[in-house]
Amino acid sequence: MRFIWGKKEFTLMIIPGANRRTVRFKLPHSSLYIVPSVILLVLIGFFVTIYLMNTYSHQTKDNMQRTFDGQERQLVNQITLKDNELEQLQANLIDLSQQADEFKLKLEEIKKLEHVIQLMSQSEEPNRTSKKLSALSESAYGSDVGGTEVPVTSQEVTALVSSTKQGLSALVGDINTLLINLSESEARLKEADYLRSITPTLWPVMTHSLTSGFGVRRDPFTGKPSMHTGLDLDGEINDAVYATASGKVIEASFDNEFGNRIIVDHTRGIQTGYMHLNKILVKRGESVTKGQKIGLLGSTGRSTGSHLHYEVQKNRVPVDPTPYLITNRKDER
């Protein structure tokens, strides 16, 4: 190949060999500058492209690295947070387990109180407290005084969760049973307290000196046998006379035989009578409480001296008051 220069153009000859035809190319003289310029521009464009691609690649890599680092930090923070939350949940679980054990002890105290209420109510019914309300052991978690720090395993946490769940489920059943028993015991206690309040167990006067008992005796006026329907209790004029049980005054008047008299109805067929009073301190229809002062001892009506004729009637039939007089203090309830 050789060049043949001319004024305005040059010829490019390609001689492939001795036996082949020569190939000529005529190129303008200006192509001598244009072709290298084009090649140079192509090379410059190529290197600029390589540079831009390399720069973009580095930027992309940096962006990806920063994104990865941010996600990694976020993930680490989330893992740390979850670990802290897990530790807090484990601590709360331990506290809950301890509180459940402490509640068991309180429940045992309430059971004892329920037993006391049953005794106070003097119920003859058998104790129907559920057998599963057995004596509870003390808390497995005592005072923390130290020890080696050993991380708990997931199996241990699972076992604690299961144990606490079973304990709380048992507590719910125990509480429901206890509430039923307490309600029944409270009802029995109220009933027993009401029965005690309406049962005439108090002495109607401070002195316990009997001048005449219940039953057949010689009449002090006629000397003939007669039925004495109550007790004659000795005393001084204007000694206090007390209601032997709570009830309602159904009679507060003067009677030729019994003088100034008070009759109190205590419901359930029980009535008490206070005769020969010097003064009546209550009115008919008035409610009185056990131990309340209702009159003053005297000798009115058919009487030979100061005393209180005291009667107890059951379904309007006089009965011996002696078995009822079991309480010495007038303020005993």
Side-chain angles (χ1 to χ4, degrees), residues 18-263:
N19 297 323
R20 294 186 180 184
R21 184 178 178 182
T22 301
V23 180
R24 291 184 175 88
F25 294 97
K26 291 184 178 181
L27 300 173
H29 188 268
S30 59
S31 63
L32 185 62
Y33 306 100
I34 296 175
V35 172
S37 299
V38 171
I39 294 174
L40 180 61
L41 290 175
V42 171
L43 290 175
I44 291 173
F46 175 75
F47 286 115
V48 169
T49 302
I50 295 298
Y51 173 77
L52 292 176
M53 290 180 64
N54 188 40
T55 302
Y56 177 76
S57 176
H58 281 294
Q59 291 177 348
T60 303
K61 181 179 179 181
D62 292 340
N63 292 334
M64 292 179 64
Q65 184 66 38
R66 284 192 295 270
T67 302
F68 176 77
D69 291 341
Q71 292 177 348
E72 184 180 15
R73 285 192 298 271
Q74 184 178 4
L75 182 60
V76 170
N77 292 335
Q78 290 178 349
I79 293 175
T80 302
L81 180 61
K82 294 300 182 182
D83 290 341
N84 293 335
E85 291 178 350
L86 180 59
E87 291 179 358
Q88 184 63 41
L89 287 175
Q90 292 174 350
N92 292 339
L93 177 60
I94 293 174
D95 291 339
L96 180 61
S97 180
Q98 292 176 342
Q99 292 173 2
D101 290 331
E102 293 173 359
F103 189 78
K104 289 179 182 178
L105 297 178
K106 296 295 183 182
L107 185 62
E108 181 65 18
E109 295 178 1
I110 297 176
K111 284 169 52 185
K112 294 178 181 178
L113 177 61
E114 190 265 345
H115 180 63
V116 171
I117 293 176
Q118 288 182 343
L119 293 178
M120 291 177 61
S121 66
Q122 298 178 353
S123 173
E124 297 180 357
E125 298 180 5
N127 185 2
R128 292 178 289 175
T129 303
S130 175
K131 293 182 179 180
K132 72 175 181 177
L133 291 176
S134 57
L136 300 173
S137 60
E138 293 186 358
S139 173
Y141 300 96
S143 300
D144 298 329
V145 296
T148 304
E149 181 181 0
V150 180
V152 296
T153 63
S154 59
Q155 292 83 0
E156 292 171 339
V157 173
T158 302
L160 181 59
V161 170
S162 177
S163 175
T164 303
K165 182 178 180 181
Q166 292 176 359
L168 291 176
S169 298
L171 279 178
V172 171
D174 291 348
I175 291 172
N176 290 334
T177 302
L178 185 59
L179 288 176
I180 294 175
N181 292 331
L182 281 174
S183 298
E184 294 176 353
S185 297
E186 183 181 10
R188 291 195 297 270
L189 183 60
K190 289 182 178 180
E191 175 66 13
D193 186 63
Y194 174 70
L195 288 176
R196 282 194 294 271
S197 70
I198 65 172
T199 303
T201 58
L202 297 182
W203 282 79
V205 291
M206 295 299 294
T207 62
H208 297 172
S209 178
L210 271 69
T211 58
S212 183
F214 178 86
V216 178
R217 68 169 185 175
R218 187 182 298 275
D219 187 274
F221 287 95
T222 66
K224 298 179 180 180
S226 65
M227 180 64 183
H228 191 227
T229 57
L231 301 177
D232 285 345
L233 303 175
D234 192 18
E236 301 294 332
I237 296 293
N238 291 331
D239 281 350
V241 175
Y242 304 97
T244 58
S246 299
K248 184 177 181 179
V249 177
I250 60 173
E251 192 66 56
S253 62
F254 179 83
D255 180 88
N256 290 329
E257 182 176 357
F258 292 111
N260 292 321
R261 62 171 183 167
I262 298 173
I263 299 177

